[in-house]
Amino acid sequence: MNQRHRLIGRRSFLFGLGSLATMSAVATSKAAYENQQIQALYDPDRNFIITEGFSLKERAAKKGLIYGAAARQIDLSSNASYAAAIVQNCSMLVPEWEFKWTAGNATLRPSPDRFDFSAADWMANFAATHDQLLRGHTLVWHDSLPEWFKTSVNSRNAAQLLEKHIQTVVKRYAGKIHSWDVVNEAIRTEDGRNDGWRITPWLELLGPNYIDLAFRLTAAADPQALLVYNDFDLDYDTPEQEAKRTAVLKLLERLQTKRTPIHAVGIQAHLFPGENKFNPSKLRKFLHDVASMGLKIMITEMDVADKKLPTDVKVRDRIIAGVYEDYLSTVLDEQAVIAVITWGLSDRYSYVSQSQPRSDRAPVRPLPLDAQMQPKLAWNAIARAFDHAPRRN
Ligand code: G3I
């Protein structure tokens, strides 16, 4: 793009932001800060060129990496072109709902005494049929617990209930699972505890030993799976996320002191451009600290929320792609990072449309493929990050 196009690009971009700003009565300083951040992320000249001919999983594999995506049975079974795109691009599949206690239309544990594996088995079969690695997400989480949990679980039966869950679910898929998110999102410094732990039903029912217990039960039920602690908001240079990174490192140290069988950290990487500052050296330091403990790292749920970005799809897609490439090129420099998983593959099926809808009601575009399964610049950005990544030793 020449200088003139670049200026026009910038002008129409600023116009987009300006008109958005006038829609709100008073531009708050937060909005001004965010607009400034977003402008800094927009580069009409940035090059997202790729060599053609390789899928994301092939590009990742060349570097000894895994690329995968989360998906739901309901979407895979109802949309053949989506299923084909998942098979073509992904060497790993993460059931977005089906391995949780309950989520969406899938309920793995309909009652304390009953399991329903129909949806989870369907996903496991899909992965096996298409030679995909399978991830288990998740065993211990404060969210997505069935209604009966509140009324039926107490401090006397909680350990037994968790033990039954892990033994039944993990043993059923033992040998077929690459990695389990054993414990999900256990840190929340805002909850006010000195250790930064989230106050969850599990903590309240079982006490601070619950994380160790969950990892031990999982290791016993599937000695082959990589056991992961998974969390979000570990990416940005803010005091809150810095505190969270520190609390996660303390948790990992504590687990290692107890010789808890934990093998990896999952960094969800739900990114929100505009809202926070990305500082590659802060993130590198965290990755290095985790790697120094002998742990692997997986990027487990990456997507780029476009809530704050301009309406113009071309501008928006460029910013999103830049965010993908900047983030992934930073994390893939760290040898301990073994996998990149996006939280969905196509914009057609993204949790962002429910949880982070845009105020202009334009469809969200957080993922590598558009709603028609066509690759966007974000796809190129991920491809480029794999192409430029150092090979794993
Ligand atoms: O679709 C209905 C919607 O019509 C209705 O208005 C709404 C009311 O609650 O429910 C909607 O379904 C929800 C669905 O998300 C929509 O995306 C389900 O109830 C809900 O269970 C499901 O939420 C899932 C959520 O985890 C809780 O399990 C999301 O799909 C899933 O993407 C999300 O994934 C989590 C990871 O597991 C952990 N990390 C964060 C990530 C995003 O929140």
Side-chain angles (χ1 to χ4, degrees), residues 96-97 100 103-104 137 141 144 185 268 301 343 351 354:
E96 187 174 339
W97 289 347
K100 293 173 178 174
H137 174 82
W141 192 22
S144 297
E185 303 173 2
Q268 294 185 9
E301 306 187 11
W343 205 238
Y351 96 104
Q354 262 89 38

Side-chain angles (χ1 to χ4, degrees), residues 123-389:
M123 294 297 280
N125 288 337
F126 184 97
T129 305
H130 299 104
D131 276 332
Q132 292 172 315
L133 299 167
L134 181 66
R135 245 172 91 60
H137 174 82
T138 173
L139 297 166
V140 176
W141 192 22
H142 61 276
D143 199 323
S144 297
L145 292 169
E147 273 303 309
W148 57 258
F149 193 94
K150 276 189 224 116
T151 47
S152 310
V153 187
N154 54 53
S155 51
R156 290 182 309 282
N157 64 14
Q160 193 202 6
L161 185 102
L162 178 64
E163 192 173 324
K164 181 170 178 174
H165 190 83
I166 292 179
Q167 282 174 354
T168 310
V169 177
V170 176
K171 276 195 180 144
R172 184 179 184 88
Y173 299 103
K176 297 179 182 164
I177 293 276
H178 168 274
S179 44
W180 266 110
D181 285 336
V182 178
V183 176
N184 195 38
E185 303 173 2
I187 298 294
R188 188 170 190 274
T189 55
E190 296 88 333
D191 283 2
R193 287 173 54 99
N194 285 339
D195 54 13
W197 288 27
R198 185 191 287 266
I199 298 171
T200 78
W202 294 113
L203 179 64
E204 288 179 317
L205 290 163
L206 295 171
N209 217 27
Y210 86 95
I211 298 182
D212 175 74
L213 174 68
F215 276 94
R216 283 183 199 283
L217 289 168
T218 310
D222 183 354
Q224 287 175 44
L226 196 76
L227 306 190
V228 183
Y229 173 72
N230 192 47
D231 216 327
F232 64 95
D233 275 356
L234 298 169
D235 321 285
Y236 286 109
D237 188 4
T238 66
E240 296 77 16
Q241 297 205 11
E242 186 61 29
K244 187 159 180 175
R245 286 189 285 271
T246 303
V248 167
L249 290 171
K250 286 212 174 105
L251 165 64
L252 299 174
E253 274 161 25
R254 174 185 162 130
L255 294 176
Q256 289 203 321
T257 306
K258 284 167 147 297
R259 301 197 174 281
T260 306
I262 174 172
H263 310 128
V265 172
I267 297 179
Q268 294 185 9
H270 292 290
L271 302 183
F272 295 87
E275 293 179 46
N276 299 308
K277 196 168 135 238
F278 178 57
N279 178 344
S281 54
K282 283 270 165 70
L283 182 58
R284 275 201 186 97
K285 162 91 171 59
F286 177 65
L287 300 172
H288 178 76
D289 289 346
V290 173
S292 305
M293 300 171 92
L295 298 169
K296 297 291 182 201
I297 299 165
M298 302 179 73
I299 305 302
T300 50
E301 306 187 11
M302 189 171 187
D303 51 18
V304 178
D306 57 357
K307 195 177 180 173
K308 304 278 166 127
L309 304 185
T311 310
D312 184 316
V313 165
K314 283 207 172 113
V315 174
R316 218 184 328 153
D317 279 2
R318 271 193 163 268
I319 296 174
I320 292 167
V323 171
Y324 266 105
E325 193 175 355
D326 291 347
Y327 188 88
L328 288 178
S329 55
T330 301
V331 298
L332 293 176
D333 268 349
E334 170 55 63
Q335 282 279 337
V337 174
I338 58 167
V340 174
I341 295 139
T342 49
W343 205 238
L345 182 66
S346 156
D347 294 337
R348 185 164 190 149
Y349 305 114
S350 166
Y351 96 104
V352 171
S353 52
Q354 262 89 38
S355 75
Q356 307 290 329
R358 292 175 56 82
S359 56
D360 62 8
R361 293 171 180 245
V364 298
R365 301 179 66 82
L367 290 166
L369 303 185
D370 70 12
Q372 286 71 44
M373 310 304 148
Q374 296 308 307
K376 302 182 304 175
L377 283 187
W379 192 100
N380 290 32
I382 300 171
R384 286 168 61 86
F386 288 143
D387 291 350
H388 297 145

Side-chain angles (χ1 to χ4, degrees), residues 71-74 95-100 105-106 108 119-120 123:
R72 313 159 189 157
Q73 179 197 7
I74 191 170
E96 187 174 339
W97 289 347
E98 295 77 3
F99 280 18
K100 293 173 178 174
N105 69 349
L108 186 66
M123 294 297 280

